[in-house]
Every structure is written in C-alpha cells, then in structure tokens.
C-alpha cells in the first residue's frame, strides 16, 4: 500500500514531534503493509513550507526506516489566495515528487467562496489538485455534491483512512461511505500525525472498503 498523505517528518508542523516518534511511525507503517510514504508537511498560515530542507530530510527518513520504506516529498497545501499565488509562480514546488499532483486542503469549517476559481487556477498551470479529507469539512459534509463538481472540474479526492473506522465521528463516516458509493474517492490515505490518535495505518480502512465495494 502507498500512503500519499502523512505528517511523518519530525518537529516541523503538528505531526511527528521527534525522530523517535518518526522511527516508530515507520515501523508501524511497515507492519501495516505500507511500502511507500509521501511526506506531506503543512503549507499554511502557521507553518512555512521549505521544500529543499524537507527533501534533504528524506535521507534521514530512509535511514530510520531501515530501508523498509521508500519516500517522496509532497505538501499539505492549504487553499488560500496567497498560497495559490505562490503555486501559480512555481506549481511543482508543492507537488508530490516530480508529478503534477498536489494535495489541497480547505479549512475544516468551510470552503472559500471562490474555491472553484482558485482550484481552476492550479489546473490551468497543469496541476491536478487532490482534495484532501472532504469528509471532515463541515460545508462539504452538508453539500457532498460540491465534491462531485470538483471532480468534474478535474480534481481528485482523497479520504482519510480512519474516517471509515469512525474515528472522526458518524457524520464523517457517513460522508466517506456516501462518496465511496458515488465513485467519488480516488485515494485513501492516513493523514497520520502520531502513533496513537492518528497513526500510519491503512489496512483497517482497506478491509472496510473491501467489504463495501469489493477487494478490486
């Protein structure tokens, strides 16, 4: 399994707090059957996104994983006018590795009134936005058809693994299951931050999704 959304780099955002935690997260991911992890530090008003430095950290990350995981760099990109302006100037700076895919997140409480415009600006620069955890966004939980409109506009959708196991509550679980039934989920990822509450585990969600939609 591949995890494209994971806050595994230590002491840079609200994810792993130390290399010891990161090492334990790597071991947990390996036990769960994960083979590749995209390290996705936050890029928002609270945390500075230093891609060059974070890319350099992947060497140490590989060492603590003892060669049992491979890694690439990505970004948990917060959709805001300022961030989008920076991405328009250098879109690949925020992408997953050398691809055209980039994770984009909204506030948990809503989406900007010009969200479509901001996302289409990224698409116009050749990027493919991956909308992260819509099942945890208060507005999108009430208006799931907006997720379908994002897909029609060229976006992909990533749902959090433990939404399927109920960690984020019944409303998030119901939204995730509805999106699954509507073929509106392209990727499931951990969005892991730690070892206990938000761990790097995909297998439990995979089992639940297989029960609902089939292993294929």
């Amino acid at each position: 399994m591949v995890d494209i959304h994971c806050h595994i780099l230590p002491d840079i955002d609200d994810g792993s707090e130390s290399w010891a935690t990161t090492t334990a997260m790597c071991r947990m991911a390996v036990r769960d059957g994960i083979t590749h992890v995209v390290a996705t530090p936050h890029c928002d008003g609270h945390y500075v996104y230093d891609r060059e430095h974070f890319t350099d950290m992947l060497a140490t990350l590989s060492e603590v994983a003892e060669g049992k995981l491979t890694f690439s760099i990505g970004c948990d990109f917060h959709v805001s006018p300022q961030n989008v302006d920076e991405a328009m100037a250098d879109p690949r700076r925020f992408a997953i590795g050398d691809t055209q895919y980039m994770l984009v997140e909204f506030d948990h409480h809503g989406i900007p009134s010009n969200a479509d415009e901001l996302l289409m600006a990224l698409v116009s620069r050749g990027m493919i936005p991956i909308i992260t955890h819509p099942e945890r966004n208060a507005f999108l939980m009430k208006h799931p058809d907006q997720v379908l409109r994002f897909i029609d506009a060229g976006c992909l959708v990533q749902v959090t693994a433990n939404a399927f196991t109920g960690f984020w509550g019944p409303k998030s679980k119901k939204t995730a299951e509805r999106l699954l039934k509507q073929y509106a989920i392209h990727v499931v990822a951990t969005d892991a931050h730690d070892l206990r509450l938000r761990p790097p585990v995909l297998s439990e969600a995979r089992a639940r999704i297989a029960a609902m939609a089939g292993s294929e």
Side-chain angles (χ1 to χ4, degrees), residues 24-83:
M25 288 175 71
C26 288
R27 291 171 179 166
M28 182 177 287
V30 170
R31 288 195 302 270
D32 194 60
I34 294 170
T35 57
H36 183 86
V37 174
V38 182
T40 53
H42 280 293
C43 176
D44 58 25
H46 299 288
Y47 303 105
V48 176
Y49 183 69
D50 186 343
R51 188 175 180 93
E52 293 73 22
H53 174 57
F54 298 153
T55 300
D56 289 342
M57 293 176 73
L58 295 186
T60 305
L61 194 56
S62 296
E63 290 179 10
V64 301
E66 300 176 334
K68 297 177 181 178
L69 291 169
T70 55
F71 299 94
S72 52
I73 195 66
C75 175
D76 197 358
F77 181 89
H78 185 78
V79 177
S80 68
Q82 179 179 348
N83 267 1

Side-chain angles (χ1 to χ4, degrees), residues 163-178:
F164 284 99
T165 61
F167 175 81
W168 296 99
K171 291 182 180 179
S172 288
K173 182 179 180 183
K174 183 178 179 180
T175 302
E177 291 174 347
R178 176 174 177 174

